[in-house]
Amino acid sequence: MMGRLPIAKMLGVTVVLTAAISAVMLSVNWNGQDASTAAPKIDQLLDVMIVLSSFVFALVMVMLFYALWKFKAKPGDESDGEPIHGNTRLEIAWTVIPTIIVLFGGGYSWAVLNDIEEPAKDPITVNVFAQQYAWSFGYPGKGNAWSEGELHVPLDRQAQFKMHAQDVIHSFWVPEWRIKKDAVPGITTTAIVTPDKLGTYQLICTELCGFGHASMRAKVVVETPADFRKWVAALPDTVPQPLAESIVQDTETDPVPLGAGGA
Ligand SMILES: [Cu+2]
């Protein structure tokens, strides 16, 4: 039966449909403004995945509509369908093609992740404390200065955010930076970001963490190193004792912790 299918024609239609769907989907700026060195790489990864998904969608639609049109029962035909047992060629195709697509997607994502998490020589470390329903931040390289509800980082310098959840799981997300990382009670998770555009952004908790989840936000300011130094020097408080203890108690998950940098 496979031999009688117009495979070349179906593939042709699939390619044209893939191009058309991709063109529409790629015309949308899904992730919005970008403000970190990782953002363009993640956006490109998404674009590639969109094209691959469009191909799979187009292929399934072409086969579905071909089958609907070609094998429709004639009016009055009440007979059973043809009994079909395995089709080796088809089974090999539908195993091999998805395997290649998934392996490619996995390998490409791995390479991008490796690239954007490559530790820089002189990162700044920021401790991020997440609790229902607020964020606060400690600057270990600046005498453990502490800020509540407002995070400042210098421009063009890798920031390593060490997450310390105080109660339930929260998640650290600044959309313009693209990076997302869960803050999990008991362990230290690390988000690595190099902000490359000055501006004011919003940190959003992106893990449903309770009644006040929707309002769990903080202001994020990316500023020049000089402005950052001035701001952090003027902070009146240092990290309070219970939060400082959570740093010690949490288990480090990064195999090569970079320590408290950021002088
Ligand atoms: Cu939360």
Side-chain angles (χ1 to χ4, degrees), residues 170 205 207 209 213 216:
H170 301 275
C205 180
E207 182 68 67
C209 59
H213 165 68
M216 187 170 163

Side-chain angles (χ1 to χ4, degrees), residues 180-194:
K180 253 183 200 179
K181 196 73 150 199
D182 279 7
V184 183
I187 62 174
T188 307
T189 50
T190 307
I192 297 180
V193 180
T194 307

Side-chain angles (χ1 to χ4, degrees), residues 131 133 135 168-171 205-209 213 216:
Q131 63 194 95
Y133 301 97
W135 299 95
V168 298
I169 300 176
H170 301 275
S171 193
C205 180
T206 183
E207 182 68 67
L208 184 58
C209 59
H213 165 68
M216 187 170 163

